[in-house]
Structure formats: C-alpha cells, structure tokens
Amino acid sequence: MHYLGVSAIRGCGLTFHLLGTLGSVAIAVLAACAALWFAMGKRGLAETMIGGVIMGMAISAMHFIGMYATTFVSTPTFVAVAQSHLSHSILAYAIAMAAFAVCSAQLLMATGSVNKAAGTFRRGY
C-alpha cells in the first residue's frame, strides 16, 4: 500500500531501487511474522508486549528503508491533476465513519467472545 500511495504523487518522477524495496518488503513480512508469533503464541503479558514492540519496529524500519530506496526527481513539466468529484471534507468524514464502523464491529465481536469464554469458564466446562 505504501508504494502505491507514493506512486500517486504528482509533479515528480519516482524511481525505486530494487534491493531497498525488496529489503523493505522482507523486513515487513519477517518482522510481522515474528511479532504475531510472540503476540499469539503463549498469550502472556510479556509476549504480547514483545510482539507489539517488534511490530512497531517493523513498521518503522519498513517505512524508512522503503523511503531510502525511493528517489524523487523533479520534473520540469507541469502535471495536470484531475478535479475531484468529492470535497475533501466529505471524503474525510466518509473514511472516518467507515473506520469507526469497522472498529465498532470488531469491538462488539471481541466483547461477545470474551463474555462467552467467561461464561464457559464460570460453568466449569
């Protein structure tokens, strides 16, 4: 997603260096797997915290290595940008409402799972 977003920048030429791009993707995949292994394995507080720290470092490393592998070249020609059909504020509100709906649904599903597990634990089976 990051590379697609950067490629949408208008007014400059972009080049991506192959080794830096592959390194960025490799770090993202490997560190995310390690973080999920820690966070989802034993499920203790320490493992979950270690998994979160590894995931944060993976996101940061992937971003900075990916940006290091990107070269921005100024173009002397004017690049026309198409006019948007939606205003920026309407688009921002729509994205915020969609994110709120997804997060709320996830929270409701997680709360139901926790309550069900707690009820099963109290009954003893």
Side-chain angles (χ1 to χ4, degrees):
M1 283 180 70
H2 187 269
Y3 289 106
L4 288 174
V6 169
S7 67
I9 296 174
R10 308 282 178 158
C12 65
L14 292 172
T15 59
F16 298 108
H17 302 284
L18 181 63
L19 289 178
T21 303
L22 291 177
S24 174
V25 172
I27 285 174
V29 171
L30 294 175
C33 288
L36 290 173
W37 182 77
F38 270 104
M40 304 304 284
K42 207 171 174 186
R43 296 298 287 217
L45 179 62
E47 289 84 4
T48 303
M49 295 292 285
I50 291 170
V53 169
I54 291 173
M55 183 62 83
M57 290 174 24
I59 292 168
S60 178
M62 186 251 343
H63 175 79
F64 286 110
I65 291 172
M67 291 307 296
Y68 179 75
T70 305
T71 302
F72 297 88
V73 181
S74 177
T75 57
T77 59
F78 176 74
V79 178
V81 178
Q83 190 67 13
S84 175
H85 295 289
L86 291 174
S87 72
H88 292 291
S89 59
I90 291 175
L91 186 58
Y93 286 126
I95 291 171
M97 288 190 309
F100 180 75
V102 168
C103 290
S104 297
Q106 181 65 32
L107 183 62
L108 288 173
M109 287 189 288
T111 304
S113 299
V114 169
N115 289 340
K116 183 186 280 188
T120 303
F121 179 74
R122 285 187 202 128
R123 286 193 290 264
Y125 59 90

